Amino acid sequence: MDSCQSYDDFSDLALVDLLVERDDIAFAVIYERYWGMLFAHAFKMLQEEEASKDVVQDVFINLWNVPADQLTLISSLKNYLFVATRNRILNLIRNQKVRRDYIGLFSLYIDEHADTTIELLEEKELMQQLDEVISTFPPRMKEIFQLSREHFRSHREIAQQLGISEATVSRQISNALSILRSKLPLNEGHIIALLYLQQFLKK
């Protein structure tokens, strides 16, 4: 093989096998195949072009430096790269001190379930289901839940804004999550992770 063009039809896993041998052409093909998708994904979350480029660049630099024995464990290159991109973004947000209620739990969920992260299309379907269930909430519950989910208000801020107790806010959000758990085949950590991710994918 003497050109990038001859590698273009290789599967992701075939390219990873070549990457284990530090094949720079295989790396170039992976870069070309996924750079645009990863940049678009990062930009949806960050809304900053240069920061998004830096995130994706770091992901590929790290990919090149992954030890061979760890590369052989990758079962889905696409999932690996998207998870790596999300984790870099979460680190960036954390370092910039733009913490939100769901960031810690989302990061923990991704770290623990990196190999089983759902595909983007499945995520979009689940997000549609989330919206459908949320639309059926009683008006007060829906208002409180959306202030928390969409505007990242703390329980205290919601209570002050609506003139109710923090205990009421906590109870309404807890009830909302219970309804979501009963309607969707997901655990609470997965639901909150999707709620957090949904805000960026909708931008």
Side-chain angles (χ1 to χ4, degrees), residues 7-75:
Y7 282 62
D8 285 345
D9 293 331
F10 281 24
S11 69
D12 283 355
L13 291 183
L15 291 171
V16 170
D17 287 341
L18 290 169
L19 195 58
V20 169
E21 301 171 8
R22 289 299 179 258
D23 188 311
D24 57 350
I25 299 178
F27 179 79
V29 172
I30 292 171
Y31 185 93
E32 190 168 321
R33 185 175 294 180
Y34 281 104
W35 190 94
M37 282 188 280
L38 295 178
F39 171 76
H41 186 61
F43 187 75
K44 283 180 182 177
M45 298 180 76
L46 293 172
Q47 295 294 296
E48 293 181 13
E49 182 176 350
E50 289 306 314
S52 300
K53 288 180 179 178
D54 289 343
V55 164
V56 177
Q57 191 70 14
D58 286 345
V59 167
F60 281 108
I61 290 173
N62 289 340
L63 176 65
W64 178 254
N65 291 321
V66 172
D69 60 337
Q70 293 183 28
L71 283 172
T72 60
L73 300 177
I74 296 177
S75 59

Side-chain angles (χ1 to χ4, degrees), residues 115-177:
D115 291 335
T116 57
T117 301
I118 53 181
E119 297 285 351
L120 292 179
L121 287 177
E122 186 179 349
E123 284 179 347
K124 290 180 180 179
E125 292 173 359
L126 286 168
M127 288 173 187
Q128 290 176 354
Q129 293 178 38
L130 278 171
D131 281 337
E132 290 173 2
V133 175
I134 292 169
S135 69
T136 67
F137 285 176
R140 193 59 151 182
M141 178 187 293
K142 183 177 179 181
E143 181 181 20
I144 291 172
F145 193 73
Q146 288 180 328
L147 282 172
S148 173
R149 178 183 69 126
E150 298 178 1
H151 301 286
F152 301 103
R153 299 283 194 273
S154 68
H155 289 192
R156 176 175 297 180
E157 289 171 333
I158 295 172
Q160 291 174 345
Q161 180 174 334
L162 300 181
I164 57 179
S165 69
E166 289 185 47
T168 298
V169 173
S170 296
R171 184 169 60 252
Q172 290 282 14
I173 292 176
S174 177
N175 289 343
L177 287 171

Side-chain angles (χ1 to χ4, degrees), residues 61-99:
I61 290 173
N62 289 340
L63 176 65
W64 178 254
N65 291 321
V66 172
D69 60 337
Q70 293 183 28
L71 283 172
T72 60
L73 300 177
I74 296 177
S75 59
S76 170
L77 180 61
K78 179 179 180 181
N79 276 357
Y80 178 89
L81 291 173
F82 272 89
V83 168
T85 301
R86 292 180 198 173
N87 284 339
R88 295 295 297 179
I89 290 168
L90 288 170
N91 287 337
L92 181 63
I93 293 172
R94 188 180 295 112
N95 291 338
Q96 291 180 338
K97 304 183 189 301
V98 189
R99 277 187 170 276

